[in-house]
Amino acid sequence: MKVIVCGAGQVGWQIARHLASENNDITVVDNDPGLVRQITDSLDVGGITGFASHPDVLERAGARDADMIIAATFSDEVNMIACQVAHSVFTVPRKIARVRAQSYLDPEWSDIYRQDHMPIDVIISPEKEVAEAALRRLSAPAAFEIHGFFDNTVQLLGLTLDEDCPVLNTPLRQLTELFSTLRAYVVGIRTGNRRLRVADSDDQLFAGDQIYLFAANEDVDRTLEIFGKSASAGNRALILGGGNVGLGVAKALEAQGKRTRLKVIERDRTRAEFAADALERTIVLNGDGLDKDILEEAGIESIDSFLAVTDDDKTNLLSCARAKSLGAKLTVCLINDPSLAPLMQPLGIDAYINPRGTTVSSILRHVRHGRIRAVYSVGDAEAEVIEAQVLSTSSIAGKRVRDTHMPEGAIIGAIRKGRELVIPRAETVIAEGDSVTIFAMAGQVPQVERMFRVSVDFF
């Protein structure tokens, strides 16, 4: 598949890395020659320097015979025009654009993207994706990572095991026997050496390990309790940052109708006034989230969940550390640079959101071949969770789980048969029409995808 990626920033780089590793023909376009040189030196991709919205630049990038364009520059307008030019001049079949400005995303103006206006097939909103990720974090405060599959009927949970975890030193095989009715299944483990790998039935769990598991929605609370975690989220929340992400989370929490006592801290006075006008039941404070006095004014000592979502990673990390020291029970921060994630544990921060990962996952969902319905990038692109439908042509159709011959670095995490959710056992038969989730290390993703591939031009 021939793909043009517009933008060599963090998102563009990750998309190019994913697709190039699967032997796709990738060309990256950016107006910064340094970024183009860096990405072509690091990855097996082509590079073109220039503005992605210019027809001559797209032509040099191979738009005349491209299968897809992914516009992920920092400019909404460049992304939108690049897709328009790709359609009108080069008839590129598939067009994906990253759009940040909320006005472009308002349903009132959705006609903009009609085929006879501005024919963009998929709009990706980073702020919307991050806000949804933040809400998932707040819904399961004990998990450092959470993502829904099968229309949010099953959750992927990331848990750090504490010293008081009741099931420490217990082999996973024995856990399955002890809790035979529990619809939960451990698929990945990050041990003390910090290396993530697929879980094995003979693995034992130790304090400090991080595990990834699938759990049915109805069984999430029971699963958390089994692993020594509290299922209570509390009802007092404080959000640092009144930008698009913070405002989106606050609006969503108000819309849920729960009796959440919510406050927002925003440093910019004009933005704070805007947020106060946009929210109904939320108290908005104008001040610096690193200031102890403003945190105490917000009642930090009684806060159940503190969420730092400013556009500055260091502010988010330090404010979470200060909030934790002042009594906040759960702290979650937005980190654009995943290399800063190891600082979380020394600073006592409970969880983080990687906007690059959420955006990349959203884009990959629309790029994969075959009946791939969802893709979620785990960690710093160390592994992926793939949700796919089993077709009659799939190599696993009609086979028992034990006979599917999954690659060594991949494991089936959950199966949906019609409306019934099934946790895989060795004798479980996978039938045509079933949906499955597979936890796969990055190197095994292409092999897993081939199990569900229809044809090279299926989207």
Side-chain angles (χ1 to χ4, degrees):
M1 182 167 63
K2 188 170 184 177
V3 182
I4 298 173
V5 178
C6 302
Q10 292 182 344
V11 170
W13 197 93
Q14 281 289 351
I15 291 295
R17 184 176 81 167
H18 276 278
L19 297 180
S21 68
E22 298 161 14
N23 299 317
N24 293 292
D25 182 358
I26 308 300
T27 301
V28 179
V29 178
D30 199 285
N31 65 346
D32 185 333
L35 288 177
V36 173
R37 185 168 54 253
Q38 182 180 354
I39 201 167
T40 53
D41 288 346
S42 304
L43 305 175
D44 183 18
V45 301
I48 298 292
T49 301
F51 286 94
S53 55
H54 291 183
D56 62 316
V57 174
L58 290 179
E59 183 173 43
R60 285 193 286 130
R64 291 201 181 276
D65 59 349
D67 299 296
M68 178 183 297
I69 183 170
I70 301 171
T73 74
F74 289 107
S75 169
D76 290 351
E77 290 72 22
V78 168
N79 294 339
M80 296 164 75
I81 294 172
C83 288
Q84 178 73 70
V85 172
H87 173 82
S88 301
V89 180
F90 303 108
T91 62
V92 176
R94 188 77 165 165
K95 299 159 289 290
I96 298 175
R98 180 174 69 167
V99 177
R100 294 175 179 274
Q102 296 305 296
S103 181
Y104 288 134
L105 303 171
D106 193 319
E108 184 178 353
W109 316 118
S110 59
D111 274 0
I112 293 174
Y113 308 110
R114 274 174 28 196
Q115 280 296 104
D116 55 341
H117 289 169
M118 187 171 287
I120 302 174
D121 300 295
V122 179
I123 298 287
I124 302 295
S125 167
E127 283 80 6
K128 181 181 178 183
E129 298 290 338
V130 170
E132 290 176 354
L135 288 169
R136 288 193 296 269
R137 293 286 190 279
L138 296 178
S139 69
F144 65 81
E145 194 151 355
I146 179 170
H147 195 80
F149 295 89
F150 299 157
D151 301 320
N152 280 319
T153 59
V154 64
Q155 303 295 326
L156 174 74
L157 300 174
L159 303 175
T160 300
L161 304 184
D162 301 319
E163 295 282 355
D164 59 354
C165 173
V167 293
L168 292 184
N169 307 315
T170 306
L172 294 181
R173 188 191 309 277
Q174 190 173 340
L175 279 182
T176 303
E177 297 168 357
L178 287 171
F179 306 102
S180 58
T181 62
L182 183 72
R183 290 178 298 169
Y185 192 56
V186 178
V187 291
I189 297 179
R190 191 190 301 277
T191 52
N193 61 13
R194 315 318 293 167
R195 183 177 68 87
L196 179 64
R197 60 179 174 81
V198 167
D200 184 86
S201 60
D202 293 324
D203 280 326
Q204 289 181 273
L205 304 178
F206 300 99
D209 285 355
Q210 291 183 339
I211 62 170
Y212 288 88
L213 59 86
F214 283 99
N217 269 7
E218 298 83 358
D219 290 3
V220 166
D221 288 356
R222 184 182 170 205
T223 300
L224 291 173
E225 291 171 2
I226 287 171
F227 287 96
K229 302 292 183 179
S230 170
S232 173
N235 67 346
R236 296 175 183 267
L238 175 60
I239 298 172
L240 176 61
N244 289 335
V245 174
L247 188 57
V249 173
K251 284 183 176 179
L253 288 173
E254 285 190 344
Q256 287 178 355
K258 298 179 181 178
R259 301 183 66 179
T260 302
R261 298 182 181 180
L262 181 61
K263 296 178 182 177
V264 173
I265 297 176
E266 169 54 44
R267 186 172 186 171
D268 181 80
R269 183 173 184 84
T270 302
R271 184 65 191 185
E273 291 174 350
F274 176 83
D277 289 340
L279 298 168
E280 297 178 5
R281 302 188 307 276
T282 300
I283 298 173
V284 179
L285 303 173
N286 177 218
D288 187 347
L290 288 172
D291 188 333
K292 181 180 177 183
D293 291 338
I294 198 76
L295 289 173
E296 289 179 343
E297 182 184 343
I300 191 66
E301 71 282 350
S302 61
I303 290 297
D304 297 300
S305 303
F306 178 82
L307 180 66
V309 289
T310 75
D311 56 5
D312 183 81
D313 288 353
K314 294 174 184 176
T315 297
N316 294 339
L317 283 164
L318 292 174
S319 63
C320 279
R322 168 149 278 185
K324 194 74 171 181
S325 70
L326 294 174
K329 296 181 179 62
L330 171 76
T331 53
V332 181
C333 67
L334 183 69
I335 302 179
N336 287 280
D337 181 0
S339 67
L340 295 174
L343 296 175
M344 281 177 45
Q345 190 168 3
L347 292 173
I349 301 169
D350 299 293
Y352 80 101
I353 302 164
N354 177 7
R356 182 180 71 179
T358 58
T359 304
V360 168
S361 296
S362 299
I363 292 174
L364 287 176
R365 186 185 310 142
H366 300 283
V367 174
R368 300 302 192 185
H369 293 307
R371 290 290 189 175
I372 307 297
R373 292 182 167 175
V375 178
Y376 180 68
S377 183
V378 176
D380 188 17
E382 299 162 276
E384 287 185 15
V385 177
I386 297 171
E387 177 188 326
Q389 184 181 15
V390 179
L391 304 176
S392 59
T393 54
S394 172
S395 62
I396 65 174
K399 292 184 178 179
R400 297 177 297 179
V401 168
R402 66 189 305 169
D403 299 326
T404 54
H405 302 298
M406 281 283 157
E408 187 175 343
I411 185 173
I412 297 173
I415 303 170
R416 183 167 68 175
K417 294 177 173 290
R419 295 186 177 181
E420 180 187 4
L421 179 67
V422 176
I423 294 301
R425 301 288 182 252
E427 300 301 321
T428 304
V429 175
I430 300 173
E432 176 187 352
D434 288 352
S435 294
V436 299
T437 57
I438 298 175
F439 182 94
M441 303 307 297
Q444 278 66 51
V445 168
Q447 190 174 343
V448 170
E449 282 196 317
R450 283 195 289 273
M451 295 178 174
F452 303 96
R453 188 162 293 179
V454 179
S455 66
V456 73
D457 58 356
F458 182 94
F459 297 104

